[in-house]
Amino acid sequence: MNALSIRQLTKTYDHSVHALRGIDLDVASGDFFALLGPNGAGKSTAIGIICSLLNPTSGEVQVFDHNLATEREAAKSLIGLVPQEFNFNAFETVLNVVTNVAGYNGMGWKDANKRAEYILKRLDLWEKKDTPGRQLSGGMKRRLMIARALIHQPKLLILDEPTAGVDIEIRRSMWEYLTQINEQEDTTIILTTHYLEEAEALCRNVAIIDGGEIVERGKVAELLSRATMETYVLDLIEGPASRSSQLGPFALRYRDDGSLEVDIPQGHTLNELLKALTEAGVQVSSMRNKSNRLEQLFLQLVDRDAS
Amino acid sequence: MSHHLLNERVAFQTLVRKEVRRFMRIWIQTLVPPVINALLYLLIFGGLIGTRIREMDGIPYMDFIVPGIIMMGVITNSYGNVSSSFFGAKMQKYIEELLVSPVSNITIVAGFIIGGVARGLAVGLLVALVSLLFTQINPVHPIITVLVMVLTSITFSLAGLINGIFAEKFDDISIVPNFILAPLTYLGGIFYSVSLLPPVWEVISRLNPVLYMINGFRYGILGASDMPIWQSFSVIAFFICLLGFIAMRLLNRGIGVKQ
């Protein structure tokens, strides 16, 4: 069963701005799915329609086989949303923020409080349960939004840039938590993010949206294998005798800080590169990816200059 | 009760609890000012000017103005509660909590309206208590008194909701109360009987729906009114149906809440 099925979804603003141009998308139940795209690509519009925050111009959305237009209550009760911006009542306490949403989803007062205690403890917010939302730190606010989205145990969790502005430690703990609820509680997760390493680390499937259209979709592993090139930055102990821009199949670029940027085309390996460098008299002290593979593929697909 | 109705009931209770908590949390802004206003009106119009006027339509002037002053508090606070609460939810975007969840639009409307009614009645009760410092209140028709107060509160809560739905900035929720609601209320027969007005102004006054609400309430408390009570109930019922229809239509179409 699909957690989400979208058919020919369009959204036109002011009769002229085409935010979505008839997208089709399926997300399987239990998947951890990334929806990627540059700013203004249509990601947030798509999420807005799925979560009933926007009216579509045309098309159909089904959530676990419930049509969002005709089986509104059944479809919406299965969705939890963590939006991009903080959107809770800043004057309400942490506990009230989550129990209100539990109530809107039909959860009685006792059950709501019990579930709130569980979820707030899991997200390290229980100590702050009586604190108004406005007094929380940025990371706590982000976790509160996750707690609120999960309070009614949705089967489909949608996260729109959930780790934007969050420090590395909190981001890692959120990754861990999201992976847990995906694997242990069988919650389907759809994630949009600008951190492509996040999508690469967490998601099994991905769709890339650009200009209101899905330009690529598939398993993350398959897409990565289609990346035509990978770029590494090498710190050198000793450079080559002469600076050329090509070393066999590898394109070289010398950087101002003395390091060397090398493109490894698809079909060639790091071993081949290191062998070629050794033969050219180059000694390497360390190396790192310039950007991750998904990022490079993403940039290729949305017609951006990968360099 | 079906699962759906049970969920709607819980959502409604949650929404009402949240709305009541909101105005109780800031009671110094929501409950105290209207009581002080009423106290000043009673002191100046009733206590000072009223001693010169003595009677209006054969009723002691203080007794005559008390129902109108209570209703003024009910009207402005019911309206203001819903318009500011709904607009605040839109501005801070936590209205999205309701839009994402499976709550029906009718439950959303009902929740906000009951929140407005709760504040309107709380203010009405407090103003009535303050009025006891100046006169006695012994409603001649208690059921009519309560009914008119509750239905008027519903009417203006609905009007406030529509204002909140359309509002895009703070000015938008103060324009209607200042430039439409206040004149209608003051010209709605709080301080005078329309029978005293020249015929042309009496006819114009009778186009003001607030006049029927204040007079309906006055009828409940004093047993005297400028018009038959059925007219008051008819006007209130008409506006509840009209405003309720508009509010539901706006929410169903997503106007003001979904871009």
Side-chain angles (χ1 to χ4, degrees), chain A residues 2-307:
Chain A
N2 282 331
L4 179 72
S5 290
I6 291 175
R7 292 289 172 268
Q8 286 302 302
L9 192 65
T10 66
K11 176 70 181 177
T12 306
Y13 292 105
D14 300 328
H15 306 291
S16 58
V17 182
H18 301 288
L20 294 177
R21 298 167 184 268
I23 63 168
D24 292 328
L25 186 67
D26 288 313
V27 177
S29 175
D31 200 358
F32 205 136
F33 189 93
L35 185 62
L36 307 177
N39 287 333
K43 303 185 300 287
S44 293
T45 299
I47 284 175
I49 292 171
I50 295 162
C51 296
S52 306
L53 300 176
L54 293 171
N55 289 326
T57 303
S58 64
E60 191 180 278
V61 177
Q62 293 211 338
V63 181
F64 288 96
D65 291 343
H66 296 292
N67 190 304
L68 193 59
T70 56
E71 299 166 87
R72 190 175 155 278
E73 190 208 358
K76 287 170 85 174
S77 63
L78 298 168
I79 299 174
L81 171 68
V82 182
Q84 218 171 77
E85 296 172 36
F86 298 129
N87 72 339
F88 50 81
N89 185 343
F91 297 96
E92 289 274 23
T93 63
V94 166
L95 186 61
N96 284 338
V97 168
V98 290
T99 52
N100 279 347
V101 171
Y104 300 154
N105 281 278
M107 214 182 237
W109 189 82
K110 267 188 181 173
D111 291 341
N113 275 279
K114 214 167 144 185
R115 171 79 181 156
E117 183 178 347
Y118 167 77
I119 204 94
L120 290 176
K121 279 181 175 169
R122 275 198 77 172
L123 284 158
D124 285 334
L125 283 171
W126 182 243
E127 301 286 307
K128 299 282 180 185
K129 69 180 194 309
D130 298 319
T131 305
R134 68 182 187 280
Q135 292 176 12
L136 299 179
S137 68
M140 286 176 179
K141 285 177 181 169
R142 197 58 72 182
R143 278 182 280 149
L144 174 57
M145 302 234 291
I146 294 178
R148 183 184 62 177
L150 290 170
I151 188 71
H152 61 293
Q153 295 178 280
K155 289 174 76 178
L156 173 61
L157 178 66
I158 299 173
L159 302 115
D160 194 4
E161 311 266 356
T163 53
V166 168
D167 67 36
I168 293 169
E169 193 184 348
I170 293 170
R171 190 184 305 170
R172 293 283 168 181
S173 71
M174 280 168 62
W175 286 14
E176 197 181 316
Y177 182 62
L178 293 173
T179 307
Q180 266 178 28
I181 60 165
N182 174 246
E183 287 172 357
Q184 293 168 13
E185 297 174 24
D186 200 29
T187 306
T188 308
I189 297 178
I190 298 176
L191 171 81
T192 79
T193 179
H194 274 128
Y195 302 110
L196 298 188
E197 78 275 14
E198 190 166 83
E200 191 173 339
L202 295 173
C203 300
R204 289 188 282 279
N205 289 289
V206 63
I208 297 175
I209 184 168
D210 189 31
E213 291 172 333
I214 303 279
V215 293
E216 191 58 80
R217 77 189 79 200
K219 291 186 182 303
V220 171
E222 280 174 13
L223 288 182
L224 290 176
S225 70
R226 283 163 49 191
T228 55
M229 189 180 292
E230 212 168 344
T231 303
Y232 285 87
V233 177
L234 314 179
D235 295 314
L236 306 180
I237 298 170
E238 195 174 324
S242 64
R243 288 191 167 192
S244 63
S245 60
Q246 199 72 30
L247 181 65
F250 310 108
L252 309 178
R253 288 177 298 281
Y254 292 90
R255 297 173 21 146
D256 292 342
D257 61 0
S259 59
L260 178 62
E261 220 172 86
V262 184
D263 294 335
I264 304 180
Q266 198 176 32
H268 295 274
T269 64
L270 265 175
N271 285 351
E272 289 172 51
L273 170 67
L274 291 172
K275 190 177 170 198
L277 287 169
T278 307
E279 285 169 0
V282 178
Q283 287 191 46
V284 178
S285 61
S286 63
M287 65 187 297
R288 62 189 180 277
N289 262 111
K290 185 184 179 193
S291 56
N292 69 15
R293 290 175 300 164
L294 189 58
E295 191 171 320
Q296 293 201 345
L297 178 69
F298 174 81
L299 290 170
Q300 285 165 25
L301 288 168
V302 297
D303 286 325
R304 301 286 162 84
D305 181 359
S307 65

Side-chain angles (χ1 to χ4, degrees), chain B:
Chain B
M1 194 182 277
S2 76
H3 183 64
H4 168 71
L5 285 178
L6 202 64
N7 285 353
E8 290 289 332
R9 195 183 74 180
V10 173
F12 171 73
Q13 288 167 343
T14 305
L15 196 47
V16 170
R17 206 165 37 231
K18 179 185 81 78
E19 284 300 293
V20 172
R21 202 166 48 223
R22 191 193 77 89
F23 77 74
M24 289 303 287
R25 189 171 52 226
I26 47 171
W27 60 274
I28 205 104
Q29 295 171 44
T30 52
L31 300 181
V32 176
V35 174
I36 291 173
N37 271 348
L39 192 63
L40 291 172
Y41 281 123
L42 291 166
L43 205 62
I44 295 165
F45 288 94
L48 300 177
I49 300 172
T51 51
R52 303 286 178 93
I53 298 173
R54 290 189 187 161
E55 287 189 345
M56 182 73 65
D57 277 352
I59 299 165
Y61 191 63
M62 180 62 89
D63 291 356
F64 182 86
I65 65 169
V66 162
I69 288 174
I70 293 172
M71 281 302 266
M72 186 166 66
V74 172
I75 287 169
T76 52
N77 284 279
S78 300
Y79 188 97
N81 194 73
V82 183
S83 63
S84 59
S85 177
F86 197 86
F87 174 66
K90 266 174 52 171
M91 203 184 64
Q92 286 193 59
K93 294 192 172 212
Y94 56 85
I95 191 75
E96 291 178 1
E97 291 175 351
L98 283 165
L99 299 178
V100 173
S101 68
V103 189
S104 68
N105 286 335
I106 196 155
T107 300
I108 294 175
V109 170
F112 275 97
I113 296 316
I114 296 305
V117 170
R119 176 162 153 200
L121 296 188
V123 168
L125 192 67
L126 289 171
V127 173
L129 288 173
V130 166
S131 305
L132 293 176
L133 297 172
F134 298 87
T135 186
Q136 288 189 329
I137 302 174
N138 296 309
V140 176
H141 306 290
I143 294 172
I144 289 176
T145 304
V146 172
L147 214 52
V148 171
M149 188 152 79
V150 171
L151 293 176
T152 301
S153 186
I154 291 173
T155 308
F156 283 94
S157 295
L158 282 165
L161 179 64
I162 293 168
N163 190 175
I165 289 171
F166 279 117
E168 288 177 357
K169 52 189 188 300
F170 276 112
D171 285 351
D172 298 341
I173 54 166
S174 62
I175 285 172
V176 176
N178 288 330
F179 296 103
I180 298 173
L181 201 56
L184 285 179
T185 310
Y186 286 108
L187 298 172
I190 297 176
F191 299 107
Y192 58 86
S193 163
V194 285
S195 61
L196 299 177
L197 297 174
V200 176
W201 288 106
E202 188 181 344
V203 170
I204 292 171
S205 289
R206 285 180 188 275
L207 297 175
N208 177 2
V210 178
L211 181 78
Y212 295 83
M213 299 168 190
I214 289 175
N215 271 279
F217 191 64
R218 185 173 286 136
Y219 176 80
I221 290 184
L222 303 174
S225 169
D226 284 334
M227 65 269 305
I229 189 65
W230 69 265
Q231 283 188 8
S232 293
F233 277 121
S234 302
V235 168
I236 296 170
F238 171 74
F239 276 98
I240 287 177
C241 293
L242 178 69
L243 298 172
F245 174 76
I246 293 170
M248 280 304 298
R249 192 150 174 84
L250 291 173
L251 282 188
N252 285 340
R253 297 179 74 176
I255 292 169
V257 289
K258 299 182 182 183
Q259 296 99 319

